[in-house]
Amino acid sequence: MLPPNISKKELLSHFDTFVFDADGVLWTGDIPVPGASEWINTLLDDPEKSVFITTNNSTKTLEQYIYPKLMKAANFLADPSVEFLVSNEDAIFPGPIPGMVLPETGPWSAAIQNVSGRKPDIVFGKPHKEMGDFLKSRVDPGKFDSRRTVMFGDRLDTDMMFGKNNGFTTVWMPTGVGSLLDIEKARQAGETSKIPDFTCRFSEF
């Protein structure tokens, strides 16, 4: 069952802080999601609104791990004083063509864990607490209210959980890797933190 739709008018009247995932929400590959830039500009033009983009995508600035890098990381981590820090544990992110997915950081993190025998000391990306703490630190404490903050995302296990873990309203975007089947599976499994409150399409604003 599709989550209830939320309108542009409702979003503007009920929320002050707007948090967006990037891949599959604002763009797919190098292609902008229809209506996304117009919606972002509407929010940026309002001095009462705060806008954040919280992506787990580390491939824009870092090369993907290959065998020599895996070997180097595993050997560094043999020293217990070396911290194991991971940007995120996403398995995939949307590719440049609808229906195509690409490996994210998760598979490389899993490979390092298997070789080193260690678990990460800190995972910075969604849905973990560190990302939420950083976001909250960037808003004037007198203005930030979790109840008036909304998270837009396409993934249930990162974006929706991140929103729920921080007390935000969640809006699922059907433009990325998540699907209605994923939502139904979460409902059947009782995984309430993955179930979005609303859905919408920016192109309909």
Side-chain angles (χ1 to χ4, degrees), residues 21-24 27-29 55-60 64 88 90-97 99-105 107-108 154-155 176-177:
D21 180 38
D23 295 287
W27 56 75
T28 301
T55 180
N56 276 1
N57 185 353
S58 61
T59 63
K60 298 296 184 184
Q64 293 181 338
N88 73 83
D90 290 2
I92 58 174
F93 70 97
I97 301 171
M100 176 186 287
V101 294
L102 301 175
E104 240 287 3
T105 307
W108 314 119
D154 63 321
R155 299 181 63 102
V177 298

Side-chain angles (χ1 to χ4, degrees), residues 41-80:
N41 285 331
T42 295
L43 296 173
L44 292 176
D45 287 340
D46 188 336
E48 298 300 317
K49 306 299 185 188
S50 297
V51 178
F52 295 91
I53 298 174
T54 57
T55 180
N56 276 1
N57 185 353
S58 61
T59 63
K60 298 296 184 184
T61 56
L62 297 176
E63 295 178 2
Q64 293 181 338
Y65 286 112
I66 55 176
Y67 182 81
K69 292 186 178 182
L70 291 172
M71 181 176 64
K72 182 182 290 186
N75 279 278
F76 276 129
L77 291 172
D79 181 347

Side-chain angles (χ1 to χ4, degrees), residues 7-173:
S7 69
K8 177 180 179 180
K9 182 178 179 180
E10 290 172 312
L11 287 165
L12 290 173
S13 63
H14 290 109
F15 301 102
D16 304 314
T17 304
F18 294 75
V19 186
F20 296 86
D21 180 38
D23 295 287
V25 174
L26 301 179
W27 56 75
T28 301
D30 294 324
I31 303 171
V33 168
S37 61
E38 292 84 356
W39 174 229
I40 293 291
N41 285 331
T42 295
L43 296 173
L44 292 176
D45 287 340
D46 188 336
E48 298 300 317
K49 306 299 185 188
S50 297
V51 178
F52 295 91
I53 298 174
T54 57
T55 180
N56 276 1
N57 185 353
S58 61
T59 63
K60 298 296 184 184
T61 56
L62 297 176
E63 295 178 2
Q64 293 181 338
Y65 286 112
I66 55 176
Y67 182 81
K69 292 186 178 182
L70 291 172
M71 181 176 64
K72 182 182 290 186
N75 279 278
F76 276 129
L77 291 172
D79 181 347
S81 68
V82 174
E83 289 189 293
F84 186 1
L85 309 179
V86 177
S87 63
N88 73 83
E89 293 188 308
D90 290 2
I92 58 174
F93 70 97
I97 301 171
M100 176 186 287
V101 294
L102 301 175
E104 240 287 3
T105 307
W108 314 119
S109 170
I112 294 171
Q113 291 179 54
N114 287 334
V115 174
S116 68
R118 288 183 55 179
K119 297 292 185 183
D121 295 298
I122 299 176
V123 180
F124 290 99
K126 298 168 292 184
H128 297 279
K129 183 176 182 293
E130 286 75 14
M131 177 74 84
D133 290 344
F134 174 77
L135 186 153
K136 293 171 186 177
S137 74
R138 305 296 294 178
V139 180
D140 185 336
K143 293 183 178 180
F144 185 84
D145 184 347
S146 296
R147 296 168 299 179
R148 292 186 61 83
T149 300
V150 58
M151 173 72 205
F152 297 83
D154 63 321
R155 299 181 63 102
L156 306 187
D157 58 347
T158 55
D159 303 323
M160 299 302 101
M161 286 184 66
F162 174 72
K164 298 280 187 178
N165 290 344
N166 286 280
F168 306 158
T169 295
T170 54
V171 178
W172 175 68
M173 305 299 298

